[in-house]
């Protein structure tokens, strides 16, 4: 774009917020007896379970491993179909492939960008075993409808809530409403543990299976052992993985969780600044919010009305990058990724998601940004749109 960029330095689309107390929490672990899974992991699990109102939580090395664990606990295997959204990170579907199952993509609602329950229902077969809805951008999916479909067809619901820590559905916290719920603690998410993820559940059977799965399928629990050779004895009873979270990660996550309310409040404040600035701009559509839910706002996505612009999404995206605004696109629909295409998934199966993909841009949104940063993004969007306005 012509002349001087709006910003001299690059503003990323998301990043962590780390305070002195977070650093101290990690240092304390480094000086303690346990680096890997010790008491801090258990404390973090209890803290998350309490926060979301679930009975149990099992921490994993990352959110993708946690999703894999949930698919294992749900007994997804060869021949099983699992319905999920195409508008998500590949991990939401990859976890089904890890178990030998088949992901089935149900198109999104063009208003909320979340999985459309009517599409889910239309894709159910005798092989359908589970649904993995994703609370896209932090806005909860139509859970009542999803649960109704699941109940009628005897399906397990695993929520991918990587975007939705702290979000509510009809006043209830996400994390205690379905069979299992996954949260991620990657640095761009609401709180971070470096890498990290967790499954929350109210089901004791899933809880015990998840614990064993994340540690090679090994147990030492006396009541679960088939034999017992002595105090050293353990049994590997199925093929699990080493998916354990470390105490270093857990202590960081626990310290971060204490700041979650502040983090979400700041995200909401910046969202309302964006909404106010963009509501009169004809060329962009701001995110629709379902009145039944409260989003925890992982992402702020604008949708371009390309008929009113002389440039396409790539032009606008590159224009914003030149202004040093760290824009992004969430997501390339999963079924269009080369690996999925090679598995036989065709373009055209999810037209709403495919169309959205051509029109969306994610703007920077994270609590550690300032109001000045938000205003820079707004100025850059105005500058670039003025250039491409028909
Ligand atoms: C981040 C994310 C994941 C995976 O989490 P990791 O902790 O990075 O493995 C899964 N699903 C969605 C929608 C995500 O955004």
């Amino acid at each position: 774009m012509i002349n001087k960029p709006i910003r001299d330095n690059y503003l990323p689309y998301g990043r962590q917020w780390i305070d002195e107390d977070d650093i101290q929490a990690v240092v304390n672990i480094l000086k303690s007896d346990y680096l890997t899974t010790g008491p801090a992991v258990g404390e973090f699990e209890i803290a998350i379970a309490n926060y979301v109102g679930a009975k149990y939580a099992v921490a994993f090395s990352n959110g993708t491993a946690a999703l894999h664990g949930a698919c294992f606990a749900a007994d997804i295997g060869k021949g099983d179909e699992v319905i999920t959204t195409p508008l998500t990170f590949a991990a939401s579907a990859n976890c089904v492939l890890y178990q030998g199952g088949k992901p089935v993509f149900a198109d999104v609602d063009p208003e909320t960008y979340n999985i459309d329950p009517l599409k889910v229902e239309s894709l159910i077969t005798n092989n359908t075993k589970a649904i993995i809805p994703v609370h896209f951008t932090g806005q909860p999916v139509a859970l009542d409808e999803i649960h109704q479909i699941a109940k009628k067809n005897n399906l397990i619901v695993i929520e991918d809530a990587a975007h939705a820590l702290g979000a509510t559905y009809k006043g209830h916290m996400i994390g205690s409403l379905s069979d299992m719920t996954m949260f991620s603690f990657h640095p761009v998410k609401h709180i971070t543990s470096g890498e990290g993820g967790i499954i929350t559940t109210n089901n004791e059977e899933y809880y015990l299976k998840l614990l064993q799965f994340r540690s090679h399928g090994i147990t030492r629990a006396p009541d679960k052992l088939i034999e017992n050779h002595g105090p050293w004895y353990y049994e590997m009873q199925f093929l699990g993985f080493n998916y354990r979270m470390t105490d270093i990660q857990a202590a960081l996550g626990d310290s971060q969780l204490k700041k979650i309310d502040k983090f979400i409040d700041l995200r909401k404040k910046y969202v309302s600044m964006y909404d106010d600035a963009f509501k009169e701009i004809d060329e962009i559509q701001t995110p629709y919010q379902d009145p039944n839910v409260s989003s925890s706002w992982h992402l702020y996505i604008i949708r371009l009305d390309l008929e009113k612009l002389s440039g396409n999404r790539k032009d606008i995206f590159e224009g914003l990058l030149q202004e040093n605004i760290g824009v992004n696109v969430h997501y390339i629909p999963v079924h269009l990724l080369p690996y999925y295409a090679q598995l036989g998934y065709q373009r055209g199966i999810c037209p709403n998601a495919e169309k959205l993909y051509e029109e969306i841009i994610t703007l920077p949104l994270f609590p550690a940004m300032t109001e000045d940063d938000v205003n820079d993004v707004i100025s850059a969007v105005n500058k670039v749109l003025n250039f491409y306005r028909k």
Side-chain angles (χ1 to χ4, degrees):
M1 187 118 330
I2 24 125
N3 61 50
K4 195 174 165 303
I6 297 279
R7 288 177 66 92
D8 299 329
N9 62 335
Y10 182 76
L11 179 71
Y13 90 90
R15 63 158 288 157
Q16 69 277 14
W17 168 319
I18 299 289
D19 287 328
E20 241 354 275
D21 53 346
D22 298 314
I23 294 168
Q24 205 46 57
V26 171
V27 168
N28 290 344
I29 296 294
L30 294 174
K31 292 176 176 170
S32 79
D33 292 337
Y34 291 93
L35 296 186
T36 185
T37 314
V41 170
E43 284 160 26
F44 182 47
E45 288 170 338
I46 290 169
I48 290 283
N50 286 343
Y51 177 65
V52 304
K55 266 195 192 153
Y56 309 102
V58 180
F60 283 81
S61 46
N62 57 67
T64 303
L67 280 174
H68 185 187
C71 287
F72 174 85
D75 201 24
I76 288 159
K78 207 167 158 35
D80 292 332
E81 294 174 6
V82 178
I83 301 174
T84 189
T85 171
L87 204 60
T88 184
F89 185 55
S92 313
N94 289 351
C95 58
V96 177
L97 294 178
Y98 296 156
Q99 283 298 110
K102 181 181 169 200
V104 173
F105 297 102
D107 206 359
V108 298
D109 176 313
E111 206 163 37
T112 63
Y113 311 163
N114 269 327
I115 197 167
D116 179 345
L118 290 174
K119 299 274 166 48
V120 172
E121 196 153 29
S122 74
L123 290 167
I124 287 172
T125 72
N126 287 336
N127 295 324
T128 309
K129 181 118 182 196
I131 309 171
I132 304 183
V134 178
H135 305 302
F136 183 65
T137 72
Q139 171 165 243
V141 303
L143 272 178
D144 280 352
E145 286 81 354
I146 296 285
H147 287 155
Q148 234 167 27
I149 295 165
K151 195 165 172 206
K152 201 165 99 191
N153 297 280
N154 200 19
L155 309 176
I156 295 163
V157 177
I158 302 166
E159 293 173 38
D160 178 337
H163 298 185
L165 185 64
T168 62
Y169 179 80
K170 297 188 175 172
H172 302 285
M173 279 298 250
I174 293 299
S176 66
L177 305 175
S178 296
D179 296 290
M180 288 176 267
T181 303
M182 183 280 290
F183 297 99
S184 163
F185 309 120
H186 180 282
V188 298
K189 306 288 163 67
H190 287 85
I191 63 167
T192 190
S193 59
E195 293 278 355
I198 208 161
I199 299 292
T200 58
T201 182
N202 293 321
N203 181 311
E204 188 181 15
E205 193 185 323
Y206 292 147
Y207 169 65
L208 295 173
K209 254 172 132 175
L210 289 163
L211 278 180
Q212 199 167 343
F213 181 78
R214 78 163 175 202
S215 198
H216 311 277
I218 285 175
T219 184
R220 290 173 180 276
D223 58 318
K224 292 190 83 189
L225 296 176
I226 298 162
E227 297 176 26
N228 195 343
H229 304 175
W232 67 87
Y233 188 71
Y234 59 84
E235 280 177 1
M236 183 188 138
Q237 298 174 329
F238 56 80
L239 187 62
F241 289 76
N242 180 352
Y243 277 166
R244 291 186 305 262
M245 179 180 267
T246 66
D247 263 28
I248 305 170
Q249 291 166 287
L252 177 56
D254 207 26
S255 170
Q256 289 261 298
L257 185 60
K258 299 189 169 88
K259 296 188 265 266
I260 182 77
D261 290 345
K262 177 172 76 175
F263 288 171
I264 292 174
D265 285 350
L266 282 165
R267 285 175 180 274
K268 287 183 173 166
K269 177 164 123 192
Y270 299 152
V271 164
S272 64
M273 288 173 71
Y274 281 150
D275 278 347
D276 279 349
F278 300 143
K279 66 172 184 263
E280 307 294 346
I281 302 182
D282 271 355
E283 292 80 6
I284 58 183
Q285 198 177 312
T286 56
Y288 168 81
Q289 289 304 292
D290 174 350
N292 286 318
V293 308
S294 168
S295 176
S296 53
W297 288 106
H298 168 52
L299 301 173
Y300 189 89
I301 292 179
I302 55 168
R303 181 174 192 175
L304 303 171
D305 188 343
L306 294 172
E307 304 213 320
K308 299 192 171 119
L309 294 160
S310 62
N312 60 22
R313 192 269 312 277
K314 183 162 177 272
D315 297 320
I316 314 284
F317 189 98
E318 287 173 343
L320 289 166
L321 270 188
Q322 275 176 31
E323 301 301 329
N324 268 321
I325 305 300
V327 280
N328 213 313
V329 173
H330 294 91
Y331 290 92
I332 306 162
V334 177
H335 64 288
L336 301 182
L337 297 170
Y339 183 77
Y340 279 84
Q342 169 231 303
L343 290 178
Y345 293 88
Q346 308 255 328
R347 183 178 290 275
I349 58 174
C350 295
N352 293 342
E354 291 167 26
K355 180 159 195 295
L356 261 173
Y357 171 59
E358 305 294 332
E359 302 173 343
I360 50 178
I361 296 179
T362 304
L363 300 180
L365 179 64
F366 54 99
M369 72 196 287
T370 64
E371 288 189 33
D372 285 346
D373 293 332
V374 178
N375 286 324
D376 284 347
V377 177
I378 292 168
S379 302
V381 168
N382 277 311
K383 181 175 169 184
V384 174
L385 287 180
N386 283 339
F387 186 85
Y388 285 108
R389 185 166 281 132
K390 267 188 190 161

